[in-house]
Amino acid sequence: MAGITAPQRTRKSRKPTGRPNPPIVLITGQEKTGKSWEAARGSGSDLIGNTYWIEIGGTEGTADYYGRIPGARYEIVEHDGSYQDILDAIRWSIDQPRIDGKLNMLVIDSVTALWDMLSDEIATFARRRAVRKAQDNRRRAPSADAPVVIDADLWNRAKDRWGEVLWLLRRHPGPVLLIARQEVVTAFENDKPTRNTTRKVKAEKNLPAAVDAIVELHAIGEAWLTGVRTLHMSIQPGESQRFPDFSVDTLLRRLGLQDAVESRSVTELRPDGDLQEHAQQPAPTAVRADPPRQIPALSNEQATQLIRDALMHPTDPENALRALREEHGRRALTAVQTQTGWGQMNADALITKSLDHLKAKAEQAKGDEHGDDSNATPTSPPNEQTQDSEATGAEASGPAGEGCPPPDPEEEPPVDERPEDVSEAEEPQDLPRPRSAQTTKANKVMAVLLTEAEIQARVLGVPMEEHLAPIAKPDEGMPPSMTKLRTYVIEHRDKVTALLEEQGERDIANAYRRAGKPELKIAAMFSTLYNDLVTVG
């Protein structure tokens, strides 16, 4: 971040463990070279507790037949052939317990069929897009035999879905065998074909870089190690070695599986993390040559009082909070713990939560000003949003409601305050309904919003945890607040509607476009697509 040289949070370093990760191995070769046979034989290794076999594509169908190989020990994980169900089969396999303390192995046969399926999906999307564009422009739609250009955004979508599979495989606490076909293709030099040939893995082009070892089977019994990441065997970078008497058990031992860590050490990139941090603090100022001013350390009581005073600012509480953070620094505020109505949290986290609350109040006021509730369906009462906010903040106390830290237990509320002394942050709210009815209504609305978030995650092809990651509360181990969740799912409705139309679900897309905020019948609306949704009565 420009202009900041001091670390923004406390960190620690550690010594390297020197232990390898459970390997992801790519076994590739032309057809009938023994790829699946070697994987089935390798399931009998005494390094492995149990093996789970996910067969993708019905062109080979060898999973059942190869179960009769001597020593083979694996279980076939069934799925319906769809992308989402294949993902869930992988999740189920990863979640299985160990046997006798040994790591489980996962076999994907084959990733070539998986990439072909993703390619066929975007080809279907591209043709539907071309037909819809022709109809909008009142032109003749392309025939079934006419070629259709697949746009770059569709290829990016296929790569995202492929990346989700690899993301899950990297979280498997054991070895993974990926089976892929290999083709002999013409070699190019300076973008021109030559008389030479080369071998190419028939899958997403970045797959070789994502695995720990590549074994090429040129024929039955002829194996070559063409790429590996290991210190347990002697091999030079860029060198291909003949692998005599190849077996999966031998390969896993040479990769150091017996010394591997309990789970793969990996830190995924978060492209949106830096953007979220920029959104929470003011733009950086120019670096000054003057030495930084020494700010005295804050006590817990002082930090709580400063945040309360900033929230009670008569004209601009948001900038007052940001100025407080800039003056004392995030590192110093993080070291100070405060006791609030949401429990104990550091002062920096309390400022962030207060800023989020002020933003939510501003959006609510803007929506009320434009009469958003006038167009609501009968399932969305006019005061739904206000009631939701009251329900989520019922446990909070303090002069500014949910957005303000509660007063100290010993502190009595002021009794001589005059109306003209009350700031905008303390404007009186509508009286809440009885606690029991209010809580029941809030729980019902929250369940509806979570169901809609789950539907959006399924349509977008991502896990629900990843879908809600931008608004989740990982530090507190809690789901997002009702106001944040409601705003978040409404913002994603246009994207989900567009995907539904591309998938040919126009009736559902039209109904979803007119849905209430929130829509209490969201589960019934998507029942034809997903029949396992929780219906809120």
Side-chain angles (χ1 to χ4, degrees):
M1 204 176 301
I4 297 179
T5 58
Q8 298 299 291
R9 66 182 181 91
T10 304
R11 298 182 183 275
K12 61 180 180 180
S13 59
R14 63 179 178 85
K15 298 290 185 181
T17 63
R19 301 173 64 187
N21 288 321
I24 300 178
V25 178
L26 174 63
I27 301 179
T28 181
Q30 292 183 272
E31 59 277 3
K32 309 302 183 292
T33 54
K35 303 182 293 295
S36 300
W37 189 88
E38 290 289 356
R41 186 167 69 116
S43 66
S45 170
D46 58 7
L47 295 175
I48 303 301
N50 199 4
T51 298
Y52 297 95
W53 192 295
I54 300 178
E55 190 172 43
I56 303 175
T59 57
E60 298 179 1
T62 57
D64 280 302
Y65 183 42
Y66 283 171
R68 67 189 299 174
I69 294 176
R73 295 183 295 106
Y74 61 86
E75 298 177 10
I76 301 174
V77 184
E78 297 180 346
H79 58 85
D80 62 10
S82 66
Y83 171 77
Q84 290 295 340
D85 206 45
I86 291 172
L87 273 185
D88 201 56
I90 297 175
R91 296 188 192 104
W92 182 88
S93 303
I94 293 173
D95 193 50
Q96 296 311 298
R98 299 182 181 184
I99 297 179
D100 298 330
K102 298 180 180 179
L103 300 176
N104 294 331
M105 185 166 70
L106 179 60
V107 177
I108 309 293
D109 186 13
S110 70
V111 292
T112 298
L114 176 61
W115 180 245
D116 287 344
M117 182 187 72
L118 296 178
S119 301
D120 292 342
E121 283 184 351
I122 62 173
T124 303
F125 291 158
R127 183 164 295 278
R128 290 176 180 172
R129 177 181 290 180
V131 171
R132 187 166 58 252
K133 185 176 181 181
Q135 292 174 348
D136 293 341
N137 295 331
R138 298 184 178 181
R139 294 186 300 184
R140 179 180 298 177
S143 64
D145 298 330
V148 175
V149 177
I150 300 179
D151 297 328
D153 67 311
L154 293 180
W155 281 115
N156 290 336
R157 180 181 301 175
K159 287 180 176 290
D160 288 343
R161 291 160 79 86
W162 172 267
E164 176 66 17
V165 174
L166 294 183
W167 185 89
L168 283 175
L169 295 179
R170 286 194 291 268
R171 274 142 187 82
H172 175 56
V176 178
L177 298 185
L178 305 179
I179 312 299
R181 289 202 307 273
Q182 194 178 55
E183 297 178 329
V184 178
V185 298
T186 301
F188 280 73
E189 184 176 353
N190 298 328
D191 295 332
K192 295 182 180 180
T194 65
R195 296 182 178 180
N196 301 323
T197 59
T198 185
R199 296 175 180 269
K200 180 182 178 181
V201 178
K202 194 173 187 299
E204 201 274 330
K205 64 180 181 180
N206 294 317
L207 176 60
V211 300
D212 299 297
I214 304 173
V215 177
E216 294 185 4
L217 301 181
H218 293 181
I220 296 178
E222 182 184 350
W224 290 79
L225 188 62
T226 59
V228 67
R229 184 186 297 119
T230 181
L231 298 177
H232 283 69
M233 58 187 300
S234 177
I235 188 170
Q236 298 297 323
E239 177 186 2
S240 295
Q241 282 189 2
R242 178 72 182 270
F243 204 132
D245 300 326
F246 168 75
S247 68
V248 171
D249 177 73
T250 304
L251 176 63
L252 293 179
R253 293 182 188 277
R254 292 190 181 183
L255 294 177
L257 179 61
Q258 61 276 13
D259 301 326
V261 294
E262 296 296 322
S263 60
R264 175 172 286 267
S265 176
V266 59
T267 302
E268 299 288 347
L269 297 180
R270 298 176 53 196
D272 61 335
D274 192 53
L275 297 177
Q276 291 176 354
E277 291 173 2
H278 278 290
Q280 293 177 358
Q281 53 185 313
T285 57
V287 180
R288 294 176 296 182
D290 299 336
R293 181 169 58 92
Q294 296 295 326
I295 304 297
L298 291 175
S299 65
N300 300 352
E301 295 77 10
Q302 290 173 335
T304 304
Q305 185 62 42
L306 287 174
I307 296 174
R308 180 185 289 111
D309 293 343
L311 272 170
M312 297 175 63
H313 193 278
T315 58
D316 198 346
E318 182 176 351
N319 278 340
L321 288 169
R322 296 186 187 278
L324 178 61
R325 172 180 279 164
E326 183 178 3
E327 179 181 2
H328 291 275
R330 307 190 76 159
R331 185 178 183 183
L333 292 171
T334 304
V336 181
Q337 296 298 319
T338 61
Q339 190 66 35
T340 74
W342 308 290
Q344 187 175 5
M345 64 179 67
N346 63 63
D348 184 69
L350 181 57
I351 291 178
T352 300
K353 192 170 184 67
S354 300
L355 288 171
D356 291 341
H357 174 72
L358 291 175
K359 182 179 178 182
K361 285 188 63 178
E363 292 176 353
Q364 177 182 349
K366 184 178 179 180
D368 294 341
E369 180 181 353
H370 289 81
D372 287 349
D373 291 332
S374 61
N375 297 325
T377 61
T379 59
S380 178
N383 293 329
E384 187 85 78
Q385 185 170 358
T386 303
Q387 295 165 357
D388 295 347
S389 301
E390 293 170 355
T392 55
E395 298 298 328
S397 59
E402 181 181 317
C404 180
D408 297 332
E410 308 84 47
E411 184 179 357
E412 293 293 331
V415 296
D416 58 343
E417 188 175 59
R418 297 187 301 273
E420 56 270 22
D421 294 332
V422 180
S423 68
E424 293 181 1
E426 296 180 275
E427 290 180 355
Q429 304 293 319
D430 295 335
L431 292 176
R433 293 177 295 175
R435 180 62 179 273
S436 59
Q438 174 184 344
T439 304
T440 302
K441 180 64 177 178
N443 293 340
K444 182 177 180 180
V445 174
M446 190 66 176
V448 168
L449 294 175
L450 289 173
T451 301
E452 182 172 358
E454 179 182 357
I455 292 172
Q456 291 183 349
R458 294 188 184 185
V459 176
L460 296 172
V462 299
M464 183 156 173
E465 294 80 6
E466 182 178 345
H467 180 49
L468 297 181
I471 59 171
K473 302 177 181 178
D475 295 337
E476 302 178 30
M478 298 172 58
S481 65
M482 186 181 303
T483 303
K484 278 189 178 181
L485 183 59
R486 178 179 182 273
T487 303
Y488 187 80
V489 297
I490 291 176
E491 289 175 351
H492 282 74
R493 283 186 175 183
D494 291 341
K495 184 177 181 180
V496 172
T497 303
L499 287 177
L500 289 171
E501 290 181 342
E502 289 185 4
Q503 296 171 7
E505 303 293 343
R506 294 187 176 180
D507 293 338
I508 297 179
N510 291 333
Y512 190 42
R513 189 179 289 109
R514 299 190 298 269
K517 304 176 182 179
E519 176 56 62
L520 299 181
K521 298 182 179 180
I522 191 71
M525 185 182 298
F526 284 83
S527 60
T528 56
L529 283 181
Y530 313 111
N531 56 11
D532 58 341
L533 298 172
V534 177
T535 303
V536 180

